[in-house]
Each structure stands twice: as structure tokens, then as C-alpha cells.
Amino acid sequence: EATRGRSRSSRHDHVVTHTSFCNELICQPTILRRCPKKNIVIKIELREIQWSESLKVDIAVPVESSIHNTRRGPWLVREAFTSCALGASEPQFLDEFKIKLPLILGASGHEKIGLFFSVYHVTVKKKKLTGLRAMSKRRDSNPTEDFDDTTEHLGSGFLQLTQDGSPTYLLANGDHEVPINL
């Protein structure tokens, strides 16, 4: 049907859409094989491989905050930790991490990017209170003050996300084994 000098408008003509793009990766560490210790935590970081002319070696440099924080605090963080796998000789993890990748992969000077995994052994021991310290301990004290915790770095591994020498060809979906030097 013809209208007088105007084109027919739809009901969505006044709607302005805003579009944003993002590269995101979901990472889920599942199992750590042949671990010599129990009570394990894995730290995950997004790192960029850069050539160090002075050392004549590639170095994994942390990038800006890029891991979505599922706990209290800032929205994006540089590192994230799995839950502690208590008492397991081959610890299994259920944690899932969403990682914000650079929008343009392979930009000049930023060709190689990957995930850096650090494995830690966590020890939590109850502090021994003796003598007057035990008797003077107030009932309303903070219970976390009664424990002495330490972490021991066991090893690290790296999973390069760009493959086949091309900075824009990402790792295929699926399970990937990351060798951890324990």
C-alpha cells in the first residue's frame, strides 16, 4: 500500500542496537596425574610469550587482568585458583574459568598467547597453644588465627593457545594435556 512520500516504517526503526565483540575461552582443569603430594591447588594465568633479547629466551609475561572473577572483588583478575583437592593422590577439579582473550589475536608484538598453570601443595596445621597463651585465649577470637597455612610450589606448565605458527589459529576445542614439571 502506498503512503504519501514516506516509506513504510517498521516498529523497530527507533531501536538502536549496540553490538560488542569479545573473545572468551572456557578452561576447566580436570585431573592432575602422578602428583607426589596431596592437598593441591592450581593457579591459572593468561600469559603472552615474548622474546627476551638480553636472555636469548622466550619469557611468559602476565597480561592485563583477563580472568572473570567468580569470588568477591574486581570483575577481572590476573590469576585464579581452583578449589583445593584435599587428600587425593590424583586430584580432580570441577572449577571452570572464563578467560577474556584479546579481541585481535596476532597483533604486532602479541603473536603468542597461552595459559600458564602453577601447581601448589597447601598445608594447613592447627597452631599449638601452650601455657598462658592457651588460657588467655578469648572465646570470641577469629578462628582462622588458630591455623598456620603454607603453600609450596610444585611445578608449572604452559598451554599455548595459538597453533601452527599462526597467531590467529586457536587451539581446537576439546581436552588437552598440559605437561606439568613436578
Side-chain angles (χ1 to χ4, degrees), residues 2-172:
T3 58
R4 294 189 182 146
R6 292 189 314 196
S7 65
R8 190 172 205 189
S9 64
S10 75
R11 65 183 185 147
H12 300 293
D13 282 348
H14 66 281
V15 177
V16 177
T17 58
H18 299 281
T19 305
S20 63
F21 298 94
C22 62
N23 278 340
E24 291 184 329
L25 171 77
I26 303 293
C27 173
Q28 183 181 12
T30 53
I31 190 166
L32 184 63
R33 292 187 175 84
R34 296 177 298 282
C35 185
K37 304 259 183 163
K38 297 180 179 181
N39 302 346
I40 299 299
V41 171
I42 299 176
K43 177 172 79 170
I44 298 171
E45 300 171 272
L46 184 66
R47 293 201 176 187
E48 186 178 311
I49 302 293
Q50 295 178 351
W51 177 256
S52 171
E53 194 61 43
S54 62
L55 299 173
K56 304 290 186 207
V57 70
D58 283 329
I59 298 176
V61 178
V63 299
E64 62 187 36
S65 299
S66 58
I67 300 174
H68 291 268
N69 189 7
T70 57
R71 295 175 172 88
R72 290 183 178 171
W75 182 57
L76 293 173
V77 293
R78 283 188 174 209
E79 58 192 26
F81 292 86
T82 63
S83 301
C84 186
L86 294 172
S89 58
E90 284 201 352
Q92 296 183 359
F93 304 94
L94 299 175
D95 304 283
E96 187 175 89
F97 302 96
K98 186 190 288 187
I99 300 161
K100 185 178 177 184
L101 298 174
L103 183 58
I104 300 174
L105 293 171
S108 179
H110 305 281
E111 291 88 12
K112 296 180 185 176
I113 196 164
L115 296 177
F116 190 74
F117 300 91
S118 299
V119 178
Y120 294 94
H121 168 66
V122 178
T123 305
V124 179
K125 295 180 182 176
K126 188 159 176 115
K127 290 182 183 176
K128 293 182 181 179
L129 300 176
T130 58
L132 292 175
R133 286 183 62 202
M135 290 188 303
S136 67
K137 184 106 175 109
R138 294 184 355 211
R139 284 190 143 162
D140 60 346
S141 68
N142 186 354
T144 59
E145 292 175 356
D146 297 339
F147 294 94
D148 186 22
D149 60 339
T150 59
T151 56
E152 172 189 0
H153 184 257
L154 297 178
S156 299
F158 189 78
L159 177 65
Q160 188 168 331
L161 298 179
T162 53
Q163 299 295 310
D164 295 339
S166 170
T168 57
Y169 180 70
L170 287 179
L171 190 66

